[in-house]
Amino acid sequence: MSATIDISRKRGDTRRIVFEITQDGAPLPIVGWTAFKLTVDQSKAPADNTTLAEQMTGAITSGGTDGRVHFIPAGTIPPGSYFYDAQATDSNGEKITFAEGKYKVTQDITKT
C-alpha cells in the first residue's frame, strides 16, 4: 500500500504536505487512524535518530472519510537531499507506511 512520492520544497517553506491515502484507486477512509508521522532523514534506513532532519505529526484533514491527511513542516531543514516515510496506526492498531520517497530541500535563488 506504500506509494512512492518524491517531495521538493524550498528552504523555509511551511506549506502543508497533503496525502490522499487510497486503496484500489479509491480514497481509503482513515477514521480511527492515529499516530500520523512523517519522518525526514539523511539515511534511507536509519538505525537511530542521529541523521534525523525532522519528524512531523500529521492530522486528518476532513474527518477521515476521504483518506486525506496533512503534515506541516517547521521549515528548518537545510538545503539538501533526504529520504522520508509517512506512517500511521490504522484502526486495528497496526502500523502502516503509506508513503515514502525522496525529500529534497532547495535554496531559494530569488533571495540574496
Side-chain angles (χ1 to χ4, degrees), residues 7-54:
I7 298 171
S8 182
R9 313 287 288 182
K10 294 283 188 190
R11 180 186 53 81
D13 282 357
T14 59
R15 185 175 177 113
R16 68 186 59 209
I17 299 165
V18 180
F19 293 97
E20 180 185 38
I21 302 171
T22 61
Q23 185 172 359
D24 299 327
L28 180 67
I30 55 174
V31 177
W33 287 32
T34 60
F36 291 95
K37 298 286 182 197
L38 190 149
T39 304
V40 180
D41 203 289
Q42 294 173 4
S43 174
K44 189 171 185 175
D48 54 35
N49 287 339
T50 58
T51 56
L52 179 68
E54 183 175 357

Side-chain angles (χ1 to χ4, degrees), residues 67-80:
R68 293 170 57 88
V69 59
H70 71 268
F71 299 87
I72 300 175
T76 56
I77 299 175

